[in-house]
Amino acid sequence: MRRIAILGSTGSIGRSTLSVAESYPDRFQIIALAAGSNVQAAFEQAVRWKPRVISVARETDADSVRKKLRAQGCGEIEVVHGSAGTVRVSTHPEADFVVSAIVGVAGLEATYEAVKAGKTVGLANKECLVAAGELITAEARKQGKPLLPIDSEHNAVHQCMRGGRMEEVQKIWLTASGGPFLKTPKSRFPSITVQQALNHPTWKMGKRITIDSATLMNKGFEVIEACRLFHVPPSQVEVIVHPQSTIHSMVEFIDGSILAQFSVTDMRLPILYALTYPERIQSDLRFPVMDLRQLDFYPPDMQKFRCLKLAYEAAEAGGAKPVALNAADEIAVGAFLEGQIGFDDIPRVIEDVLSATKTGKMESINQVVETDLEARRAARERVERLHRGRSPIPRATSVSCQGE
Ligand code: MG
């Protein structure tokens, strides 16, 4: 029986994890949930899963969830809040597996503490590896516990890696759908609207990651994640555009063999893989191989998608640069979603923040958080200057974006 704690239980990966747990009630038990600010969803999950502990964002939310749970006859569930609450969930003594799926730097400390507490961690939070990858992977090695990627590409690489030894790896091929602007000429980038950028061709995801997929920054982050997870330099990680998103990624070995992983585009599969590793268990997530007709591949256009190039540079520099890359991107994407800057301004903001960031090794999670805050401040200033200098672009009115 895997005893699971989920960081980010009301988000899309969190909900998919619960849906996997629901399908295998005798294999998985939900021990602890960190939910965030969606109080109603947190309450419903607590009633449904009866975890030992549930954490929400604010103290007042914790009070109201506690009261409602008591009224429901679930008063034995411990309700905690804030970052200390998230750490309580991630280090719960009864949990042996932690799914790290809180978006942003908020999930960093709790994930690091989970690794330090000797938990096996399934990673869906990008910041953990992009901003603090060197620290987290070093700690996991020390603990002798695997870090299991839930991100579809790294999950695919992890699976392919089992076909050979580390020293036999020639190259990791990360596939990218190319996003909605694969065929859009660069000259039209300044007029791209929020609505257009949120319209991802293959995956339904949260807003930030959807924009990051449109700029290819998401793939840039994944290059850094791959370097940290699999201990390879950026020169051994190549991005290839594959619009069908059928092949989730590939590993090329020194003898010339290339192993690829493909399956349905459903996050429940990488979650199931991580939760059951090193076993594989029966699922109903079947891929219709007979219907497969065409797989296309193209090299990415680094001049058009400058974010990808910036990410490679940050990956090469390491230390503070990937922290700044992530922080500046989050601010720039937020400003774009708010209509303050244009789509083509996103790499502009990031490039400026990166060049103002000193290189330096990250020695602690605190230092990562400080570097992150500093980069955010710099990015906000840059956004302000750009915002003053431009006319407003049309904003999307009602955009709903949810899912895997
Ligand atoms: Mg991915």
Side-chain angles (χ1 to χ4, degrees), residues 126 151-154 209 218-219 222:
K126 286 197 184 281
D151 203 348
S152 62
E153 292 79 0
H154 305 86
I209 189 170
N218 182 55
K219 211 48 58 179
E222 289 180 356

Side-chain angles (χ1 to χ4, degrees), residues 94-110:
E94 284 181 58
D96 53 30
F97 193 103
V98 176
V99 173
S100 168
I102 291 182
V103 179
V105 173
L108 211 57
E109 191 198 358

Side-chain angles (χ1 to χ4, degrees), residues 45-47 49-54 66 69 74-79:
Q45 288 185 346
V47 171
W49 292 96
K50 309 234 172 3
R52 303 277 190 268
V53 52
I54 186 158
R66 203 174 291 122
L69 284 174
C74 301
E76 72 286 357
I77 299 172
E78 182 188 347
V79 184

Side-chain angles (χ1 to χ4, degrees), residues 80-101:
V80 292
H81 69 272
S83 52
T86 314
V87 171
R88 167 95 180 112
V89 167
S90 78
T91 58
H92 195 283
E94 284 181 58
D96 53 30
F97 193 103
V98 176
V99 173
S100 168

Side-chain angles (χ1 to χ4, degrees), residues 52-300:
R52 303 277 190 268
V53 52
I54 186 158
S55 180
V56 288
R58 287 177 299 264
E59 192 171 2
T60 50
D61 297 340
D63 291 341
S64 88
V65 171
R66 203 174 291 122
K67 221 173 279 168
K68 284 171 77 178
L69 284 174
R70 248 182 248 138
Q72 197 79 19
C74 301
E76 72 286 357
I77 299 172
E78 182 188 347
V79 184
V80 292
H81 69 272
S83 52
T86 314
V87 171
R88 167 95 180 112
V89 167
S90 78
T91 58
H92 195 283
E94 284 181 58
D96 53 30
F97 193 103
V98 176
V99 173
S100 168
I102 291 182
V103 179
V105 173
L108 211 57
E109 191 198 358
T111 305
Y112 186 65
E113 290 301 322
V115 175
K116 251 171 79 178
K119 314 288 185 196
T120 299
V121 174
L123 272 179
N125 166 305
K126 286 197 184 281
E127 287 73 12
C128 285
L129 286 172
V130 173
E134 284 141 327
L135 286 166
I136 288 180
T137 53
E139 188 58 39
R141 264 202 306 274
K142 208 169 111 190
Q143 296 290 338
K145 289 285 160 65
L147 282 173
L148 298 163
I150 289 177
D151 203 348
S152 62
E153 292 79 0
H154 305 86
N155 190 270
V157 171
H158 193 274
Q159 298 196 39
C160 298
M161 284 285 192
R162 292 168 85 177
R165 290 201 307 271
M166 256 326 292
E167 57 273 26
E168 296 165 345
V169 171
Q170 177 78 24
K171 196 184 269 187
I172 290 171
W173 291 91
L174 288 181
T175 53
S177 72
F181 308 124
L182 183 58
K183 299 207 166 96
T184 308
K186 191 169 167 48
S187 59
R188 284 191 39 215
F189 272 29
S191 59
I192 285 170
T193 66
V194 171
Q195 190 98 57
Q196 287 165 341
L198 283 175
N199 187 21
H200 194 273
T202 45
W203 290 93
K204 284 217 163 298
M205 305 171 289
K207 278 187 189 176
R208 181 188 172 198
I209 189 170
T210 304
I211 303 301
D212 283 341
S213 300
T215 61
L216 291 203
M217 181 56 101
N218 182 55
K219 211 48 58 179
F221 289 149
E222 289 180 356
V223 169
I224 300 173
E225 287 182 86
C227 294
R228 301 297 175 256
L229 272 171
F230 305 109
H231 313 294
V232 294
S235 56
Q236 260 179 291
V237 182
E238 189 127 8
V239 171
I240 184 160
V241 174
H242 168 43
Q244 290 93 352
S245 298
T246 300
I247 304 289
H248 297 316
S249 276
M250 305 178 265
V251 174
E252 180 176 344
F253 292 92
I254 46 176
D255 62 355
S257 273
I258 300 173
L259 297 190
Q261 187 267 349
F262 68 101
S263 55
V264 285
T265 48
D266 186 322
M267 286 311 290
R268 285 178 300 169
L269 193 46
I271 292 168
L272 183 66
Y273 173 85
L275 288 178
T276 58
Y277 176 83
E279 276 180 77
R280 288 185 189 272
I281 65 170
Q282 187 72 37
S283 93
D284 56 4
L285 300 164
R286 303 262 77 90
F287 184 93
V289 182
M290 281 293 188
D291 298 344
L292 193 56
R293 293 291 174 273
Q294 198 182 338
L295 297 173
D296 296 313
F297 298 96
Y298 314 97

